[in-house]
Amino acid sequence: MKKRVASTSTESSKLDRKTIEKNRRIHMKSLCDQLSSLIPPNLKPAKSKLMLGQRDQLDLAARYIKHMNERIEKLKRQKEQVMSNNDDRKMFNNNVESKLPIVELRDLGSSIEVMLVSGLNKTFMLYEVISVLEEEGAEVVTASFSTVGDKIFYVVHAQVKISRVGVETTRAYNRLQEFIAPPEIWPEDV
């Protein structure tokens, strides 16, 4: 009788091990199928070819993971580069902001283009700029402005009133400079 009990317990432990091993294989197959489903379809072989074996699926998944890790590293480097460029741009913008307002005058022969850049807190009256140009012999054709971030950009196009006389652009530029940044706020060494 003891042999039969021992034999039954040995058989039951064999069955338990077989069941455990079967469940482990089913679980591993399920995990491999899950992993395979995460691989994009364009990386899998065409349906006309034979289905990949489990080992081939694992190899494909490993290559895909390696590819994605390389892509992540590349994107991180690009992000760092963009962020450092943004820091440089912010530094440039801060330097420009400290030099505002800016006046630029272009002599285009029979016409003049005046560009002014100011900060939101360093504004001036556009009609005064137009008055300076008209007093110097130019007739304003168009004037426009736009706000970008914390800067205001003004563009004034003017034509010469009397083509024989013309416009003294240097004098107009100096008057605009004085108007935009009066001499009393200029640094002492200028």
Side-chain angles (χ1 to χ4, degrees):
M1 193 107 188
K2 281 194 175 199
K3 270 191 167 184
R4 190 159 176 97
V5 172
S7 164
T8 309
S9 71
T10 307
E11 286 176 18
S12 98
S13 71
K14 280 184 182 179
L15 285 175
D16 286 344
R17 278 185 270 146
K18 283 182 182 179
T19 306
I20 291 170
E21 180 62 21
K22 182 180 177 185
N23 288 341
R24 186 192 67 78
R25 278 186 267 131
I26 290 171
H27 182 68
M28 290 302 291
K29 184 176 182 337
S30 168
L31 291 174
C32 286
D33 290 342
Q34 250 184 328
L35 181 62
S36 179
S37 73
L38 296 174
I39 300 170
N42 62 333
L43 296 179
K44 294 179 182 177
K47 290 187 179 187
S48 63
K49 295 182 180 177
L50 294 173
M51 294 299 289
L52 289 177
Q54 200 171 46
R55 172 168 278 186
D56 294 330
Q57 288 178 354
L58 290 173
D59 288 342
L60 185 61
R63 285 195 309 264
Y64 179 65
I65 290 169
K66 183 178 179 183
H67 167 74
M68 292 308 291
N69 282 334
E70 290 169 356
R71 185 166 179 231
I72 288 169
E73 290 304 314
K74 179 182 175 188
L75 291 172
K76 282 181 182 177
R77 286 191 302 272
Q78 287 177 345
K79 179 183 174 185
E80 288 171 4
Q81 185 178 7
V82 167
M83 296 303 285
S84 74
N85 287 346
N86 281 344
D87 291 343
D88 293 345
R89 205 173 291 127
K90 284 178 187 174
M91 193 179 307
F92 172 76
N93 285 343
N94 287 341
N95 289 341
V96 169
E97 182 70 31
S98 65
K99 297 176 183 176
L100 293 179
I102 298 171
V103 178
E104 187 176 314
L105 190 138
R106 292 186 188 150
D107 186 353
L108 306 172
S110 63
S111 63
I112 298 172
E113 180 183 68
V114 178
M115 293 192 310
L116 305 148
V117 182
S118 74
L120 292 175
N121 57 352
K122 298 179 181 178
T123 59
F124 47 85
M125 298 298 173
L126 188 58
Y127 77 88
E128 292 174 324
V129 173
I130 293 170
S131 296
V132 168
L133 291 173
E134 288 181 342
E135 289 169 8
E136 293 301 323
E139 182 178 26
V140 174
V141 178
T142 61
S144 62
F145 76 95
S146 61
T147 305
V148 178
D150 58 350
K151 294 176 187 64
I152 303 173
F153 295 84
Y154 299 89
V155 179
V156 179
H157 292 276
Q159 289 182 330
V160 176
K161 282 184 186 175
I162 304 170
S163 59
R164 287 179 300 156
V165 176
V167 175
E168 180 59 45
T169 54
T170 305
R171 193 168 77 188
Y173 176 79
N174 289 338
R175 284 190 62 199
L176 287 172
Q177 269 302 77
E178 289 176 15
F179 171 69
I180 300 301
E184 62 267 9
I185 63 168
W186 289 359
E188 296 298 319
D189 58 331
V190 173

